[in-house]
Amino acid sequence: MFLLLSVCLIAQPAKCHDERINLTYDSPNPFLCLRNSQSTLAAWQEEHPDYHVKSWRCAPKGSLPNDL
C-alpha cells in the first residue's frame, strides 16, 4: 500500500506537490493503511516542517492514480 499525500509549502501555499510513502504490509489492506496513517502522517510532518499536508489517501501499489 501507498499513503499518497498532497503537500504545500507553508510559506507559499500555492506551491504544492504529491508525495508517496511506501507502507509495507504483506497484502493490500486499506484498513491497516487507514489505521496507521495518522502516525505516519505525523512522522512525515515532523520531518518536513516547511510543508502542510493538504490531503491524503491510501492506495494499493498496483493502482496508483496520476494525481490526488
Side-chain angles (χ1 to χ4, degrees):
M1 297 286 304
F2 282 112
L3 183 58
L4 306 176
L5 313 174
S6 179
V7 298
C8 302
L9 277 171
I10 292 173
Q12 298 174 347
K15 190 169 185 177
C16 301
H17 69 275
D18 293 338
E19 289 281 333
R20 179 183 341 183
I21 299 173
N22 187 7
L23 301 172
T24 55
Y25 304 126
D26 291 337
S27 63
N29 189 327
F31 174 75
L32 284 177
C33 183
L34 290 172
R35 187 183 73 186
N36 297 325
S37 62
Q38 293 299 316
S39 60
T40 303
L41 286 168
W44 188 93
Q45 187 70 64
E46 188 173 312
E47 294 172 10
H48 302 85
D50 295 336
Y51 286 91
H52 165 72
V53 177
K54 179 178 166 185
S55 62
W56 62 272
R57 70 183 191 102
C58 295
K61 290 181 182 176
S63 66
L64 287 178
N66 292 335
D67 58 11
L68 286 175

